[in-house]
Amino acid sequence: LIVADGVEVEGAPAGVMSGNTYEKPDELFGPFDWTVTEGNGSIEVLEEDINGTLMNVAKYTPDKPGVSYITATTKDGEYSLNFAVVSEPVLAEKLTLDKKDMEIKVGETDKLVATLSPKPTLEKDEELIWKSFNPSVATVAEDGTITGVSEGYAYIKVSSASDSSVQSYCIVKVNENIKNYKVTFKDYDGTILKEEEIQEGNSAVAPEQ
C-alpha cells in the first residue's frame, strides 16, 4: 500500500509565497495520478483510512518478481514522487511426502510424491533433491521413484534445491522377492491328483499313490 501526501516544509508553510498568502490549491495535494513507469504489475486507486484520515492511495500488485517504479503525480502535473517497489519471489516453507514409510520387494518400484507449500513463484525454486542413505538396499530417482535392490531398510530424504532446510523423509523397507509356483500332479492317465502352490526354495509333496 503506497501513500502520498503533501507536507509543509519548515520555514515555508504550505500556501505562503513571496509574503502573500494563498489558499492551498487542492490539485496539489490529491487525489494523485498513479502510473507504473517501469516494471510489471497493476495499480488500483482507492481511498483508505490512514490513522483516522481518509487518504487517496494506490494498491500495487506485481505480476512477477523484480523491481517496479511507480509515480504519483499531482493533477496539474507540476509535482511528482517516485516509489521503488522490490517484489521477491515466493519460496516454499514446507515440504511433505504422500508416504512417511514404504514397503516394497526386491526388484519392485514405487513412487513418492512431494508437495511444496506455498507453491514457489519461480520454476527453478520447485526443483527437488532426492537422496537414499542406503542405496545398496533402495535407490531413488530424480522423480521420486524408489527401487528395491536388496533386503533391508533405507532412509530416503528429499529437500528443496533452493533451501535445504525445507525437507522431508521416508523409511523404506525392502523385502525378499519370493516367487510362488503352481505345481500340478497328474496320474498316468492324465487325471489331476493334486494342485499345490509353493514358494521358491520349497519342495512340493507328491500325493500318495
Side-chain angles (χ1 to χ4, degrees):
L1 199 63
I2 304 168
V3 180
D5 189 16
V7 297
E8 294 181 340
V9 178
E10 186 178 353
V16 177
M17 183 180 292
S18 302
N20 297 317
T21 302
Y22 301 88
E23 291 184 4
K24 292 190 299 182
D26 291 338
E27 64 270 13
L28 294 182
F29 293 88
F32 299 90
D33 289 328
W34 296 87
T35 54
V36 180
T37 51
E38 186 178 334
N40 298 278
S42 59
I43 283 182
E44 178 187 4
V45 180
L46 63 157
E47 288 187 334
E48 288 215 0
D49 190 323
I50 308 295
N51 298 324
T53 302
L54 197 63
M55 301 185 68
N56 171 238
V57 299
K59 193 172 186 178
Y60 178 65
T61 304
D63 289 338
K64 61 182 181 180
V67 181
S68 300
Y69 294 93
I70 294 103
T71 302
T73 308
T74 55
K75 292 297 182 180
D76 64 356
E78 292 293 323
Y79 300 93
S80 64
L81 185 63
N82 294 317
F83 299 87
V85 179
V86 180
S87 175
E88 296 183 346
V90 173
L91 297 176
E93 299 175 359
K94 185 178 180 182
L95 194 161
T96 55
L97 288 171
D98 62 332
K99 302 171 188 173
K100 297 300 290 184
D101 54 77
M102 176 189 293
E103 195 167 331
I104 59 175
K105 294 180 180 180
V106 174
E108 290 184 345
T109 61
D110 200 348
K111 189 173 183 179
L112 290 170
V113 178
T115 304
L116 290 169
S117 59
K119 182 178 173 60
T121 304
L122 302 178
E123 187 175 342
K124 69 180 183 66
D125 293 324
E126 295 185 50
E127 183 182 350
L128 300 174
I129 298 175
W130 296 86
K131 180 179 180 179
S132 171
F133 287 89
N134 197 354
S136 63
V137 171
T139 60
V140 59
E142 292 182 358
D143 64 350
T145 298
I146 310 295
T147 301
V149 178
S150 64
E151 191 175 7
Y153 288 88
Y155 200 55
I156 305 297
K157 173 186 172 183
V158 58
S159 59
S160 167
S162 300
D163 184 355
S164 60
S165 66
V166 179
Q167 55 188 247
S168 191
Y169 302 89
C170 178
I171 298 175
V172 177
K173 180 183 179 183
V174 181
N175 298 314
E176 185 181 355
N177 193 354
I178 300 175
K179 297 180 180 179
N180 292 327
Y181 297 92
K182 187 176 182 180
V183 179
T184 302
F185 298 93
K186 295 182 179 180
D187 202 348
Y188 295 107
D189 60 1
T191 303
I192 296 177
L193 300 174
K194 181 182 179 181
E195 289 186 337
E196 184 178 340
E197 193 171 275
I198 63 171
Q199 292 183 341
E200 187 177 24
N202 293 336
S203 299
V205 179
E208 294 182 2
Q209 297 296 320

